Amino acid sequence: MNDGVSVDAVLDREWNLLIGGRLVPAASGHRYADESPVTEAVIASVPDGNEADVAAAVRAAEPAAAAWRRVPARERGALVAELAGILAAHARELALLDAIDGGHPVTGMLGDIDIAADALRLFAGLGIELKGSTIPATAANLHLTVREPFGVVGRIIPFNHPIMFAAGKIAAPLVAGNAVILKPPESAPLSALRMGELFSGVLPPGVLSVVVGDGPATGRAVARHPAIRRIGFIGSDATGRSIQRDAAGAGVKDITLELGGKNALIAFPDADPDEVAAGAVAGMNFAKSAGQSCGSTSRLLLHESIADDVLERVAARMTGIRVGSPLEPATEMGTLSSRGQYDKVLRYIRAGRDEGARLVTGGARPPGLTDVPGLYVAPTLFRDVWPDMRLAREEVFGPVLSAMTWKTEEEAIRIANAVDYGLTASVWTNDIRRAHRAASALEAGYIWINGSSRHFTGVPFGGVKLSGVGREESLDELLSYTQLKTINVMLGEPG
């Protein structure tokens, strides 16, 4: 790993799109200024791609996809596995890019690269599972199914884990035999653009394109292109629904969406207060993403008998989080990712105060960071939050934890399910029957019992309600990038 790389060194390059195996500027020649949330200064001039660049990527991808699908699945997997090694070899460089470009702690980004490499290796080894089945529909004939790739697919990823999503989310569609057009976040595009450059030496030209532009135009072009019939999106529910509308205007497309969350952690009276507090803080994902995570358990639902004890411990843990420059190895939590995110979080903090919630800790810039650049907000805890408050209903997508109390199990479940989202949930109890009863009643796609935050290799992840459709991080994701074809061979009974 190239540990000696500096921030100045990784930024000192001309940034280009990857289209058809070539590094190119935007067709328009336009570029946009990419600002760092750490320095609040421009750090890169990025190609401002648009519909013309997406169209060029599709023109390159269509013949590439036709050839790529004919490569045996295990050989495609072997090439994808090579990408994991490239990530590891350039881990320090890519982690620094996410730190300066997205505000995420460099140590956490090294962990994200490990996760992305693990995803590449997982799907590289699952290619042999791209199999169909035979159906004994008749005695005399042969009835079978086969799985085939879509052709050209689009992946649109968010800003909260830039390199993890850029690398990890192309694995399944590539192994399934598709060509991928990756659209990175415009506020943190650098690691994905660099990744495209690195990967272009392994994948055939056109199999992977990386196209970014300032604003929604590039993502909308991906959704609207008639040749892109499969799209995977991670982001807000509003943008996800916009993608569905745009895609419907261009044809009938297969779309999976991993969207927002307003996730509940429910702690029953028999749970250990210290374990609950540790789980609540871990579940907020303050480290790595400053709470900018769709899976964060941002609603803390405590039985009234343990609420004071748990909240005292939560507050102590939150005030102990090391907030600072994401470039420092000891930093646990960096900045918010953009000025827009920063202003949005502060608006929600003001709304919490205005609606009568009690601020326990945080709510402003951290001590010691008041007179330096950087979009810092201290880990923030509110208590005495009521279910009808905005803090209890709307996704903040930042380092703000809202605590509520309840008296009965039925009330806890009702509060947990009273939002439009359903991504994750966490249940803390030592009663196994109660744990399963609560997990069954909760409207969420991914549930922990006596745990939070962690994802597990091969375990399907995804939500219900406004939190999306489809499942990822598993065999389900790989198969979702294929179409099932049925073949009936008439051997004994002519059709």
Side-chain angles (χ1 to χ4, degrees):
M1 183 167 57
N2 43 350
D3 289 331
V5 175
S6 68
V7 172
D8 289 342
V10 300
L11 291 174
D12 185 19
R13 64 189 323 108
E14 182 178 348
W15 298 97
N16 287 298
L17 310 177
L18 174 67
I19 297 177
R22 296 171 53 241
L23 298 172
V24 296
S28 66
H30 295 160
R31 306 183 76 85
Y32 72 94
D34 180 29
E35 293 186 2
S36 167
V38 184
T39 64
E40 299 186 65
V42 173
I43 56 171
S45 176
V46 177
D48 191 3
N50 60 22
E51 186 176 0
D53 300 286
V54 172
V58 171
R59 287 194 298 272
E62 287 184 305
W68 181 243
R69 67 180 292 170
R70 292 193 294 270
V71 176
R74 292 187 68 185
E75 292 182 25
R76 295 196 301 262
L79 289 175
V80 169
E82 281 189 45
L83 305 182
I86 293 173
L87 275 187
H90 292 267
R92 176 70 179 173
E93 173 189 1
L94 294 167
L96 281 172
L97 285 173
D98 275 359
I100 192 65
D101 197 22
H104 311 298
V106 65
T107 302
M109 294 304 94
L110 289 169
D112 269 9
I113 289 167
D114 288 341
I115 293 170
D118 190 48
L120 288 163
R121 295 187 187 102
L122 169 69
F123 288 109
L126 285 177
I128 201 69
E129 295 301 318
L130 293 165
K131 55 194 178 187
S133 60
T134 57
I135 302 97
T138 63
N141 303 305
L142 177 63
H143 310 273
L144 65 140
T145 62
V146 294
R147 291 193 173 273
E148 297 182 340
F150 282 87
V152 183
V153 307
R155 289 250 41 172
I156 305 173
I157 59 170
F159 55 78
N160 53 338
H161 294 279
I163 189 59
M164 185 182 84
F165 285 141
K169 296 306 179 184
I170 63 173
L174 287 175
V175 171
N178 301 283
V180 181
I181 297 175
L182 175 69
K183 191 274 175 187
E186 63 267 26
S187 63
L190 300 185
S191 61
L193 293 174
R194 176 62 175 142
M195 180 200 79
E197 181 180 357
L198 294 168
F199 286 2
S200 66
V202 174
L203 298 171
V207 168
L208 174 65
S209 293
V210 183
V211 183
V212 69
D214 191 19
T218 310
R220 297 192 74 181
V222 171
R224 289 172 169 175
H225 199 291
I228 302 175
R229 296 187 294 110
R230 171 74 172 91
I231 299 169
F233 170 75
I234 305 173
S236 72
D237 66 281
T239 304
R241 285 181 284 174
S242 175
I243 287 172
Q244 287 180 315
R245 287 191 295 270
D246 284 337
V252 177
K253 303 194 178 195
D254 192 315
I255 301 174
T256 50
L257 306 170
E258 184 197 313
L259 306 178
K262 192 65 183 177
N263 311 297
L265 184 155
I266 302 175
F268 285 90
D270 65 325
D272 179 87
D274 198 53
E275 291 181 357
V276 172
V281 174
M284 272 300 298
N285 299 301
F286 292 116
K288 287 193 180 183
S289 63
Q292 298 168 117
S293 173
C294 53
S296 292
T297 44
S298 57
R299 291 184 297 151
L300 179 56
L301 277 56
L302 301 169
H303 188 268
E304 59 182 8
S305 66
I306 62 170
D308 289 341
D309 197 0
V310 170
L311 288 174
E312 181 180 353
R313 297 164 191 251
V314 169
R317 287 178 177 272
M318 287 173 62
T319 56
I321 293 172
R322 293 189 295 274
V323 183
S325 170
L327 303 174
E328 295 296 330
T331 293
E332 294 176 306
M333 177 175 142
T335 70
L336 294 174
S337 65
S338 67
R339 172 62 63 176
Q341 279 297 113
Y342 179 78
D343 291 342
K344 175 187 173 186
V345 169
L346 293 182
R347 284 197 300 271
Y348 273 107
I349 290 172
R350 288 194 296 271
R353 286 170 160 156
D354 292 345
E355 290 185 320
R358 194 192 334 164
L359 181 65
V360 179
T361 187
R365 294 177 70 89
L369 295 172
T370 56
D371 298 320
V372 298
L375 304 175
Y376 297 100
V377 175
T380 298
L381 172 63
F382 281 97
R383 66 175 300 171
D384 301 339
V385 176
W386 292 92
D388 60 347
M389 292 180 179
R390 292 181 65 193
L391 284 180
R393 294 182 292 105
E394 300 176 13
E395 185 181 36
V396 177
F397 214 67
V400 180
L401 177 59
S402 303
M404 294 168 265
T405 60
W406 51 271
K407 298 178 185 295
T408 68
E409 181 177 329
E410 293 75 18
E411 181 186 10
I413 299 298
R414 185 173 64 253
I415 294 171
N417 289 341
V419 296
D420 293 328
Y421 299 100
L423 186 53
T424 72
S426 175
V427 177
W428 290 77
T429 178
N430 293 312
D431 184 331
I432 191 65
R433 291 185 177 87
R434 175 189 284 156
H436 279 276
R437 188 168 62 241
S440 178
L442 286 167
E443 296 171 352
Y446 197 90
I447 294 175
W448 300 275
I449 295 174
N450 295 334
S452 63
S453 181
R454 290 185 62 191
H455 293 220
F456 302 91
T457 301
V459 177
F461 182 84
V464 299
K465 299 160 71 173
L466 284 189
S467 291
V469 290
R471 295 295 180 269
E472 300 198 335
E473 305 178 15
S474 60
L475 179 60
D476 303 69
E477 180 179 356
L478 178 66
L479 299 182
S480 80
Y481 283 93
T482 65
Q483 303 172 97
L484 202 62
K485 177 183 283 186
T486 300
I487 302 172
N488 298 286
V489 184
M490 311 309 290
L491 299 173
E493 298 177 8

